[in-house]
């Protein structure tokens, strides 16, 4: 079955292909199909994931899968939240985004290391008519500085 991954991010496409290819899915990205990226105007991770999946599914008349994810820091009133990628800027510099998290926590009188935070991922599936099913997962923990790892928010 052909399945659109509603993204233009080649790294994300590779991840989905590695997960779904062995299950028999023919994974193709919205970018490969020349589909435009819809503006993420939703107020939640779920709304943005649904928006992207529906746009790709309806445009290509195929099934589509999309996600929206980000870091939530309650001490920053939930920021960066749905704006996580924007905090990383045009170049997707997540080290800079994490530095901003640390700076903003410090400015509010918090010690950045040990501050509670969680990562959210909403995954949305849309059929060719745009009917969606969406799930949300969260991983809770605390922040560590300097950030570890070389992907995303560390």
């Amino acid at each position: 079955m052909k399945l659109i991954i509603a993204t233009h991010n080649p790294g994300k496409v590779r991840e989905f292909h590695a997960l779904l290819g062995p299950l028999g899915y023919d994974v193709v990205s919205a970018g490969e199909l020349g589909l435009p990226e819809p503006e993420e105007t939703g107020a939640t991770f779920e709304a943005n994931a649904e928006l992207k999946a529906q746009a790709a599914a309806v445009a290509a008349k195929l099934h589509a899968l999309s996600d929206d994810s980000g870091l939530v820091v309650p001490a920053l009133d939930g920021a960066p939240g749905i704006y996580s990628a924007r905090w990383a800027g045009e170049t997707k510099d997540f080290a800079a985004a994490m530095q901003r998290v640390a700076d903003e926590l410090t400015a509010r009188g918090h010690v950045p290391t040990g501050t509670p935070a969680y990562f959210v991922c909403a995954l949305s599936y849309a059929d060719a008519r745009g009917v969606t099913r969406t799930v949300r997962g969260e991983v809770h923990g605390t922040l560590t500085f300097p950030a570890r790892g070389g992907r995303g928010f560390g």
Side-chain angles (χ1 to χ4, degrees):
M1 179 169 112
K2 187 171 268 192
L3 179 67
I4 300 171
I5 305 303
T7 186
H8 287 84
N9 178 332
K12 194 173 284 189
V13 174
R14 280 191 300 275
E15 291 174 356
F16 276 112
H17 186 273
L19 291 168
L20 299 173
L23 300 175
Y25 290 93
D26 178 14
V27 173
V28 62
S29 75
E32 291 172 276
L33 295 176
L35 301 176
E37 285 187 275
E39 188 176 347
E40 294 182 29
T41 57
T44 64
F45 293 105
E46 293 88 343
N48 284 328
E50 289 171 2
L51 191 150
K52 293 183 283 188
Q54 288 171 339
V58 170
K61 296 181 179 39
L62 294 168
H63 299 262
L65 189 64
S66 70
D67 79 303
D68 195 45
S69 58
L71 179 69
V72 177
V73 182
L76 296 179
D77 302 319
I82 61 170
Y83 304 107
S84 292
R86 292 180 194 147
W87 276 40
E90 287 288 320
T91 60
K92 304 293 185 217
D93 185 347
F94 286 97
M98 285 307 295
Q99 186 58 55
R100 180 175 172 191
V101 168
D103 292 346
E104 294 207 15
L105 284 167
T106 300
R108 293 184 185 204
H110 297 280
V111 174
T113 293
T115 297
Y118 57 99
F119 194 81
V120 174
C121 180
L123 188 64
S124 187
Y125 164 84
D127 68 17
R129 297 168 295 148
V131 177
T132 61
R133 300 281 188 270
T134 304
V135 295
R136 174 186 171 120
E138 298 180 3
V139 177
H140 290 254
T142 58
L143 298 174
T144 301
F145 291 91
R148 297 183 203 153
R151 295 183 170 173
F153 273 89

PDB file of all heavy atoms in Angstrom, residues 99-133:
ATOM      1  N   GLN A  99      19.590  26.519  23.945  1.00  0.00           N
ATOM      2  CA  GLN A  99      20.205  27.641  24.651  1.00  0.00           C
ATOM      3  C   GLN A  99      19.145  28.678  25.008  1.00  0.00           C
ATOM      4  O   GLN A  99      19.168  29.244  26.091  1.00  0.00           O
ATOM      5  CB  GLN A  99      21.323  28.276  23.821  1.00  0.00           C
ATOM      6  CG  GLN A  99      22.092  29.342  24.573  1.00  0.00           C
ATOM      7  CD  GLN A  99      22.727  28.810  25.853  1.00  0.00           C
ATOM      8  OE1 GLN A  99      23.473  27.840  25.823  1.00  0.00           O
ATOM      9  NE2 GLN A  99      22.409  29.433  26.985  1.00  0.00           N
ATOM     10  N   ARG A 100      18.216  28.893  24.100  1.00  0.00           N
ATOM     11  CA  ARG A 100      17.127  29.840  24.385  1.00  0.00           C
ATOM     12  C   ARG A 100      16.281  29.333  25.544  1.00  0.00           C
ATOM     13  O   ARG A 100      15.873  30.117  26.405  1.00  0.00           O
ATOM     14  CB  ARG A 100      16.268  30.052  23.133  1.00  0.00           C
ATOM     15  CG  ARG A 100      15.131  31.018  23.368  1.00  0.00           C
ATOM     16  CD  ARG A 100      14.360  31.326  22.110  1.00  0.00           C
ATOM     17  NE  ARG A 100      13.182  32.108  22.418  1.00  0.00           N
ATOM     18  CZ  ARG A 100      12.212  32.358  21.558  1.00  0.00           C
ATOM     19  NH1 ARG A 100      12.303  31.915  20.306  1.00  0.00           N
ATOM     20  NH2 ARG A 100      11.152  33.058  21.904  1.00  0.00           N
ATOM     21  N   VAL A 101      15.995  28.025  25.576  1.00  0.00           N
ATOM     22  CA  VAL A 101      15.252  27.445  26.705  1.00  0.00           C
ATOM     23  C   VAL A 101      15.997  27.732  28.005  1.00  0.00           C
ATOM     24  O   VAL A 101      15.406  28.207  28.987  1.00  0.00           O
ATOM     25  CB  VAL A 101      15.040  25.926  26.513  1.00  0.00           C
ATOM     26  CG1 VAL A 101      14.543  25.270  27.794  1.00  0.00           C
ATOM     27  CG2 VAL A 101      14.068  25.660  25.362  1.00  0.00           C
ATOM     28  N   ALA A 102      17.299  27.458  28.025  1.00  0.00           N
ATOM     29  CA  ALA A 102      18.102  27.694  29.234  1.00  0.00           C
ATOM     30  C   ALA A 102      18.094  29.170  29.614  1.00  0.00           C
ATOM     31  O   ALA A 102      17.918  29.513  30.798  1.00  0.00           O
ATOM     32  CB  ALA A 102      19.532  27.210  29.017  1.00  0.00           C
ATOM     33  N   ASP A 103      18.272  30.047  28.634  1.00  0.00           N
ATOM     34  CA  ASP A 103      18.305  31.485  28.908  1.00  0.00           C
ATOM     35  C   ASP A 103      16.975  31.979  29.467  1.00  0.00           C
ATOM     36  O   ASP A 103      16.945  32.779  30.418  1.00  0.00           O
ATOM     37  CB  ASP A 103      18.656  32.268  27.641  1.00  0.00           C
ATOM     38  CG  ASP A 103      20.086  32.041  27.170  1.00  0.00           C
ATOM     39  OD1 ASP A 103      20.897  31.486  27.946  1.00  0.00           O
ATOM     40  OD2 ASP A 103      20.373  32.400  26.001  1.00  0.00           O
ATOM     41  N   GLU A 104      15.887  31.513  28.894  1.00  0.00           N
ATOM     42  CA  GLU A 104      14.574  31.962  29.364  1.00  0.00           C
ATOM     43  C   GLU A 104      14.257  31.411  30.747  1.00  0.00           C
ATOM     44  O   GLU A 104      13.639  32.098  31.563  1.00  0.00           O
ATOM     45  CB  GLU A 104      13.501  31.617  28.338  1.00  0.00           C
ATOM     46  CG  GLU A 104      13.715  32.415  27.055  1.00  0.00           C
ATOM     47  CD  GLU A 104      12.463  32.667  26.250  1.00  0.00           C
ATOM     48  OE1 GLU A 104      11.347  32.486  26.776  1.00  0.00           O
ATOM     49  OE2 GLU A 104      12.614  33.071  25.086  1.00  0.00           O
ATOM     50  N   LEU A 105      14.688  30.172  31.029  1.00  0.00           N
ATOM     51  CA  LEU A 105      14.504  29.634  32.382  1.00  0.00           C
ATOM     52  C   LEU A 105      15.311  30.449  33.398  1.00  0.00           C
ATOM     53  O   LEU A 105      14.802  30.800  34.460  1.00  0.00           O
ATOM     54  CB  LEU A 105      14.911  28.157  32.426  1.00  0.00           C
ATOM     55  CG  LEU A 105      13.917  27.186  31.800  1.00  0.00           C
ATOM     56  CD1 LEU A 105      14.561  25.809  31.626  1.00  0.00           C
ATOM     57  CD2 LEU A 105      12.651  27.089  32.651  1.00  0.00           C
ATOM     58  N   THR A 106      16.542  30.739  33.056  1.00  0.00           N
ATOM     59  CA  THR A 106      17.409  31.524  33.942  1.00  0.00           C
ATOM     60  C   THR A 106      16.800  32.903  34.191  1.00  0.00           C
ATOM     61  O   THR A 106      16.777  33.388  35.333  1.00  0.00           O
ATOM     62  CB  THR A 106      18.822  31.653  33.342  1.00  0.00           C
ATOM     63  OG1 THR A 106      19.362  30.331  33.193  1.00  0.00           O
ATOM     64  CG2 THR A 106      19.730  32.470  34.235  1.00  0.00           C
ATOM     65  N   ALA A 107      16.283  33.527  33.140  1.00  0.00           N
ATOM     66  CA  ALA A 107      15.677  34.853  33.268  1.00  0.00           C
ATOM     67  C   ALA A 107      14.459  34.827  34.199  1.00  0.00           C
ATOM     68  O   ALA A 107      14.146  35.834  34.839  1.00  0.00           O
ATOM     69  CB  ALA A 107      15.282  35.391  31.897  1.00  0.00           C
ATOM     70  N   ARG A 108      13.812  33.682  34.307  1.00  0.00           N
ATOM     71  CA  ARG A 108      12.644  33.546  35.195  1.00  0.00           C
ATOM     72  C   ARG A 108      13.029  33.028  36.576  1.00  0.00           C
ATOM     73  O   ARG A 108      12.158  32.718  37.382  1.00  0.00           O
ATOM     74  CB  ARG A 108      11.617  32.611  34.563  1.00  0.00           C
ATOM     75  CG  ARG A 108      10.983  33.189  33.314  1.00  0.00           C
ATOM     76  CD  ARG A 108       9.917  32.276  32.781  1.00  0.00           C
ATOM     77  NE  ARG A 108       9.385  32.754  31.517  1.00  0.00           N
ATOM     78  CZ  ARG A 108       8.174  32.433  31.076  1.00  0.00           C
ATOM     79  NH1 ARG A 108       7.382  31.640  31.776  1.00  0.00           N
ATOM     80  NH2 ARG A 108       7.766  32.908  29.922  1.00  0.00           N
ATOM     81  N   GLY A 109      14.338  32.895  36.804  1.00  0.00           N
ATOM     82  CA  GLY A 109      14.804  32.484  38.125  1.00  0.00           C
ATOM     83  C   GLY A 109      14.873  30.989  38.355  1.00  0.00           C
ATOM     84  O   GLY A 109      14.983  30.534  39.485  1.00  0.00           O
ATOM     85  N   HIS A 110      14.839  30.205  37.283  1.00  0.00           N
ATOM     86  CA  HIS A 110      14.920  28.748  37.392  1.00  0.00           C
ATOM     87  C   HIS A 110      16.334  28.283  37.079  1.00  0.00           C
ATOM     88  O   HIS A 110      17.037  28.886  36.275  1.00  0.00           O
ATOM     89  CB  HIS A 110      13.963  28.063  36.406  1.00  0.00           C
ATOM     90  CG  HIS A 110      12.528  28.364  36.646  1.00  0.00           C
ATOM     91  ND1 HIS A 110      11.785  27.731  37.611  1.00  0.00           N
ATOM     92  CD2 HIS A 110      11.691  29.257  36.043  1.00  0.00           C
ATOM     93  CE1 HIS A 110      10.548  28.200  37.589  1.00  0.00           C
ATOM     94  NE2 HIS A 110      10.472  29.135  36.647  1.00  0.00           N
ATOM     95  N   VAL A 111      16.735  27.186  37.702  1.00  0.00           N
ATOM     96  CA  VAL A 111      17.980  26.518  37.331  1.00  0.00           C
ATOM     97  C   VAL A 111      17.607  25.582  36.192  1.00  0.00           C
ATOM     98  O   VAL A 111      16.784  24.681  36.375  1.00  0.00           O
ATOM     99  CB  VAL A 111      18.568  25.725  38.520  1.00  0.00           C
ATOM    100  CG1 VAL A 111      19.779  24.933  38.085  1.00  0.00           C
ATOM    101  CG2 VAL A 111      18.891  26.659  39.676  1.00  0.00           C
ATOM    102  N   PRO A 112      18.176  25.782  34.999  1.00  0.00           N
ATOM    103  CA  PRO A 112      17.740  24.985  33.840  1.00  0.00           C
ATOM    104  C   PRO A 112      17.872  23.475  34.035  1.00  0.00           C
ATOM    105  O   PRO A 112      16.927  22.727  33.749  1.00  0.00           O
ATOM    106  CB  PRO A 112      18.629  25.489  32.701  1.00  0.00           C
ATOM    107  CG  PRO A 112      18.958  26.893  33.088  1.00  0.00           C
ATOM    108  CD  PRO A 112      19.108  26.848  34.591  1.00  0.00           C
ATOM    109  N   THR A 113      19.029  22.998  34.510  1.00  0.00           N
ATOM    110  CA  THR A 113      19.190  21.556  34.692  1.00  0.00           C
ATOM    111  C   THR A 113      18.271  21.090  35.820  1.00  0.00           C
ATOM    112  O   THR A 113      18.285  21.646  36.910  1.00  0.00           O
ATOM    113  CB  THR A 113      20.655  21.199  34.995  1.00  0.00           C
ATOM    114  OG1 THR A 113      21.433  21.479  33.833  1.00  0.00           O
ATOM    115  CG2 THR A 113      20.807  19.723  35.356  1.00  0.00           C
ATOM    116  N   GLY A 114      17.490  20.076  35.514  1.00  0.00           N
ATOM    117  CA  GLY A 114      16.552  19.528  36.490  1.00  0.00           C
ATOM    118  C   GLY A 114      15.146  20.074  36.360  1.00  0.00           C
ATOM    119  O   GLY A 114      14.233  19.604  37.042  1.00  0.00           O
ATOM    120  N   THR A 115      14.944  21.047  35.486  1.00  0.00           N
ATOM    121  CA  THR A 115      13.598  21.594  35.281  1.00  0.00           C
ATOM    122  C   THR A 115      12.732  20.544  34.592  1.00  0.00           C
ATOM    123  O   THR A 115      13.134  19.981  33.574  1.00  0.00           O
ATOM    124  CB  THR A 115      13.661  22.877  34.424  1.00  0.00           C
ATOM    125  OG1 THR A 115      14.396  23.867  35.134  1.00  0.00           O
ATOM    126  CG2 THR A 115      12.264  23.399  34.124  1.00  0.00           C
ATOM    127  N   PRO A 116      11.540  20.280  35.126  1.00  0.00           N
ATOM    128  CA  PRO A 116      10.644  19.322  34.462  1.00  0.00           C
ATOM    129  C   PRO A 116      10.251  19.787  33.053  1.00  0.00           C
ATOM    130  O   PRO A 116      10.033  20.978  32.815  1.00  0.00           O
ATOM    131  CB  PRO A 116       9.414  19.289  35.373  1.00  0.00           C
ATOM    132  CG  PRO A 116       9.928  19.722  36.709  1.00  0.00           C
ATOM    133  CD  PRO A 116      10.993  20.750  36.400  1.00  0.00           C
ATOM    134  N   ALA A 117      10.173  18.836  32.158  1.00  0.00           N
ATOM    135  CA  ALA A 117       9.767  19.093  30.779  1.00  0.00           C
ATOM    136  C   ALA A 117       9.261  17.786  30.193  1.00  0.00           C
ATOM    137  O   ALA A 117       9.465  16.715  30.765  1.00  0.00           O
ATOM    138  CB  ALA A 117      10.942  19.625  29.957  1.00  0.00           C
ATOM    139  N   TYR A 118       8.613  17.892  29.053  1.00  0.00           N
ATOM    140  CA  TYR A 118       8.200  16.673  28.358  1.00  0.00           C
ATOM    141  C   TYR A 118       8.159  16.916  26.869  1.00  0.00           C
ATOM    142  O   TYR A 118       8.041  18.046  26.404  1.00  0.00           O
ATOM    143  CB  TYR A 118       6.865  16.128  28.873  1.00  0.00           C
ATOM    144  CG  TYR A 118       5.683  17.060  28.820  1.00  0.00           C
ATOM    145  CD1 TYR A 118       4.757  16.992  27.787  1.00  0.00           C
ATOM    146  CD2 TYR A 118       5.461  17.990  29.838  1.00  0.00           C
ATOM    147  CE1 TYR A 118       3.655  17.812  27.748  1.00  0.00           C
ATOM    148  CE2 TYR A 118       4.358  18.818  29.814  1.00  0.00           C
ATOM    149  CZ  TYR A 118       3.461  18.734  28.770  1.00  0.00           C
ATOM    150  OH  TYR A 118       2.359  19.549  28.728  1.00  0.00           O
ATOM    151  N   PHE A 119       8.300  15.826  26.133  1.00  0.00           N
ATOM    152  CA  PHE A 119       8.273  15.863  24.686  1.00  0.00           C
ATOM    153  C   PHE A 119       6.940  15.269  24.241  1.00  0.00           C
ATOM    154  O   PHE A 119       6.509  14.241  24.763  1.00  0.00           O
ATOM    155  CB  PHE A 119       9.436  15.069  24.090  1.00  0.00           C
ATOM    156  CG  PHE A 119       9.638  15.341  22.630  1.00  0.00           C
ATOM    157  CD1 PHE A 119      10.325  16.473  22.216  1.00  0.00           C
ATOM    158  CD2 PHE A 119       9.133  14.487  21.672  1.00  0.00           C
ATOM    159  CE1 PHE A 119      10.494  16.742  20.862  1.00  0.00           C
ATOM    160  CE2 PHE A 119       9.303  14.747  20.324  1.00  0.00           C
ATOM    161  CZ  PHE A 119       9.989  15.880  19.919  1.00  0.00           C
ATOM    162  N   VAL A 120       6.303  15.924  23.294  1.00  0.00           N
ATOM    163  CA  VAL A 120       5.007  15.489  22.776  1.00  0.00           C
ATOM    164  C   VAL A 120       5.164  15.109  21.307  1.00  0.00           C
ATOM    165  O   VAL A 120       5.878  15.780  20.564  1.00  0.00           O
ATOM    166  CB  VAL A 120       3.958  16.627  22.877  1.00  0.00           C
ATOM    167  CG1 VAL A 120       2.653  16.240  22.198  1.00  0.00           C
ATOM    168  CG2 VAL A 120       3.722  17.021  24.318  1.00  0.00           C
ATOM    169  N   CYS A 121       4.489  14.046  20.908  1.00  0.00           N
ATOM    170  CA  CYS A 121       4.382  13.706  19.489  1.00  0.00           C
ATOM    171  C   CYS A 121       2.937  13.320  19.218  1.00  0.00           C
ATOM    172  O   CYS A 121       2.390  12.430  19.879  1.00  0.00           O
ATOM    173  CB  CYS A 121       5.306  12.552  19.110  1.00  0.00           C
ATOM    174  SG  CYS A 121       5.173  12.135  17.342  1.00  0.00           S
ATOM    175  N   ALA A 122       2.321  14.027  18.283  1.00  0.00           N
ATOM    176  CA  ALA A 122       0.991  13.667  17.807  1.00  0.00           C
ATOM    177  C   ALA A 122       1.168  13.080  16.417  1.00  0.00           C
ATOM    178  O   ALA A 122       1.863  13.645  15.572  1.00  0.00           O
ATOM    179  CB  ALA A 122       0.086  14.889  17.754  1.00  0.00           C
ATOM    180  N   LEU A 123       0.545  11.938  16.185  1.00  0.00           N
ATOM    181  CA  LEU A 123       0.642  11.228  14.914  1.00  0.00           C
ATOM    182  C   LEU A 123      -0.769  11.128  14.341  1.00  0.00           C
ATOM    183  O   LEU A 123      -1.691  10.688  15.041  1.00  0.00           O
ATOM    184  CB  LEU A 123       1.233   9.842  15.150  1.00  0.00           C
ATOM    185  CG  LEU A 123       1.599   9.009  13.947  1.00  0.00           C
ATOM    186  CD1 LEU A 123       2.716   9.675  13.155  1.00  0.00           C
ATOM    187  CD2 LEU A 123       2.037   7.627  14.409  1.00  0.00           C
ATOM    188  N   SER A 124      -0.921  11.558  13.101  1.00  0.00           N
ATOM    189  CA  SER A 124      -2.242  11.570  12.495  1.00  0.00           C
ATOM    190  C   SER A 124      -2.226  10.788  11.179  1.00  0.00           C
ATOM    191  O   SER A 124      -1.328  10.960  10.359  1.00  0.00           O
ATOM    192  CB  SER A 124      -2.684  13.013  12.245  1.00  0.00           C
ATOM    193  OG  SER A 124      -4.031  13.043  11.805  1.00  0.00           O
ATOM    194  N   TYR A 125      -3.236   9.966  11.010  1.00  0.00           N
ATOM    195  CA  TYR A 125      -3.439   9.191   9.785  1.00  0.00           C
ATOM    196  C   TYR A 125      -4.709   9.726   9.124  1.00  0.00           C
ATOM    197  O   TYR A 125      -5.731   9.923   9.799  1.00  0.00           O
ATOM    198  CB  TYR A 125      -3.609   7.706  10.133  1.00  0.00           C
ATOM    199  CG  TYR A 125      -4.193   6.890   9.015  1.00  0.00           C
ATOM    200  CD1 TYR A 125      -3.384   6.389   8.010  1.00  0.00           C
ATOM    201  CD2 TYR A 125      -5.559   6.637   8.949  1.00  0.00           C
ATOM    202  CE1 TYR A 125      -3.920   5.660   6.965  1.00  0.00           C
ATOM    203  CE2 TYR A 125      -6.109   5.909   7.918  1.00  0.00           C
ATOM    204  CZ  TYR A 125      -5.290   5.427   6.918  1.00  0.00           C
ATOM    205  OH  TYR A 125      -5.819   4.703   5.886  1.00  0.00           O
ATOM    206  N   ALA A 126      -4.644   9.979   7.829  1.00  0.00           N
ATOM    207  CA  ALA A 126      -5.832  10.403   7.081  1.00  0.00           C
ATOM    208  C   ALA A 126      -6.028   9.494   5.886  1.00  0.00           C
ATOM    209  O   ALA A 126      -5.068   9.156   5.188  1.00  0.00           O
ATOM    210  CB  ALA A 126      -5.674  11.853   6.601  1.00  0.00           C
ATOM    211  N   ASP A 127      -7.279   9.092   5.667  1.00  0.00           N
ATOM    212  CA  ASP A 127      -7.558   8.311   4.467  1.00  0.00           C
ATOM    213  C   ASP A 127      -7.706   9.264   3.282  1.00  0.00           C
ATOM    214  O   ASP A 127      -7.592  10.487   3.434  1.00  0.00           O
ATOM    215  CB  ASP A 127      -8.780   7.402   4.663  1.00  0.00           C
ATOM    216  CG  ASP A 127     -10.102   8.137   4.793  1.00  0.00           C
ATOM    217  OD1 ASP A 127     -10.194   9.337   4.428  1.00  0.00           O
ATOM    218  OD2 ASP A 127     -11.073   7.503   5.258  1.00  0.00           O
ATOM    219  N   ALA A 128      -7.951   8.731   2.108  1.00  0.00           N
ATOM    220  CA  ALA A 128      -7.985   9.533   0.882  1.00  0.00           C
ATOM    221  C   ALA A 128      -9.096  10.584   0.888  1.00  0.00           C
ATOM    222  O   ALA A 128      -9.052  11.535   0.118  1.00  0.00           O
ATOM    223  CB  ALA A 128      -8.129   8.628  -0.339  1.00  0.00           C
ATOM    224  N   ARG A 129     -10.088  10.434   1.769  1.00  0.00           N
ATOM    225  CA  ARG A 129     -11.161  11.435   1.892  1.00  0.00           C
ATOM    226  C   ARG A 129     -10.830  12.494   2.935  1.00  0.00           C
ATOM    227  O   ARG A 129     -11.574  13.444   3.108  1.00  0.00           O
ATOM    228  CB  ARG A 129     -12.478  10.748   2.258  1.00  0.00           C
ATOM    229  CG  ARG A 129     -12.973   9.778   1.188  1.00  0.00           C
ATOM    230  CD  ARG A 129     -14.108   8.919   1.713  1.00  0.00           C
ATOM    231  NE  ARG A 129     -13.569   8.082   2.776  1.00  0.00           N
ATOM    232  CZ  ARG A 129     -14.253   7.678   3.847  1.00  0.00           C
ATOM    233  NH1 ARG A 129     -15.493   8.016   4.012  1.00  0.00           N
ATOM    234  NH2 ARG A 129     -13.675   6.918   4.757  1.00  0.00           N
ATOM    235  N   GLY A 130      -9.728  12.281   3.679  1.00  0.00           N
ATOM    236  CA  GLY A 130      -9.348  13.241   4.717  1.00  0.00           C
ATOM    237  C   GLY A 130      -9.860  12.910   6.097  1.00  0.00           C
ATOM    238  O   GLY A 130      -9.685  13.691   7.037  1.00  0.00           O
ATOM    239  N   VAL A 131     -10.498  11.737   6.256  1.00  0.00           N
ATOM    240  CA  VAL A 131     -10.969  11.316   7.577  1.00  0.00           C
ATOM    241  C   VAL A 131      -9.753  10.889   8.395  1.00  0.00           C
ATOM    242  O   VAL A 131      -8.939  10.082   7.933  1.00  0.00           O
ATOM    243  CB  VAL A 131     -11.984  10.159   7.460  1.00  0.00           C
ATOM    244  CG1 VAL A 131     -12.407   9.672   8.832  1.00  0.00           C
ATOM    245  CG2 VAL A 131     -13.187  10.604   6.634  1.00  0.00           C
ATOM    246  N   THR A 132      -9.604  11.455   9.583  1.00  0.00           N
ATOM    247  CA  THR A 132      -8.378  11.243  10.358  1.00  0.00           C
ATOM    248  C   THR A 132      -8.593  10.432  11.627  1.00  0.00           C
ATOM    249  O   THR A 132      -9.685  10.381  12.187  1.00  0.00           O
ATOM    250  CB  THR A 132      -7.741  12.587  10.774  1.00  0.00           C
ATOM    251  OG1 THR A 132      -8.659  13.294  11.598  1.00  0.00           O
ATOM    252  CG2 THR A 132      -7.356  13.422   9.578  1.00  0.00           C
ATOM    253  N   ARG A 133      -7.491   9.841  12.053  1.00  0.00           N
ATOM    254  CA  ARG A 133      -7.351   9.201  13.370  1.00  0.00           C
ATOM    255  C   ARG A 133      -6.043   9.755  13.922  1.00  0.00           C
ATOM    256  O   ARG A 133      -5.015   9.725  13.235  1.00  0.00           O
ATOM    257  CB  ARG A 133      -7.254   7.682  13.265  1.00  0.00           C
ATOM    258  CG  ARG A 133      -8.439   7.018  12.625  1.00  0.00           C
ATOM    259  CD  ARG A 133      -9.601   6.896  13.619  1.00  0.00           C
ATOM    260  NE  ARG A 133     -10.667   6.095  13.081  1.00  0.00           N
ATOM    261  CZ  ARG A 133     -11.691   6.573  12.377  1.00  0.00           C
ATOM    262  NH1 ARG A 133     -11.747   7.839  12.087  1.00  0.00           N
ATOM    263  NH2 ARG A 133     -12.643   5.784  11.950  1.00  0.00           N
TER     264      ARG A 133
END
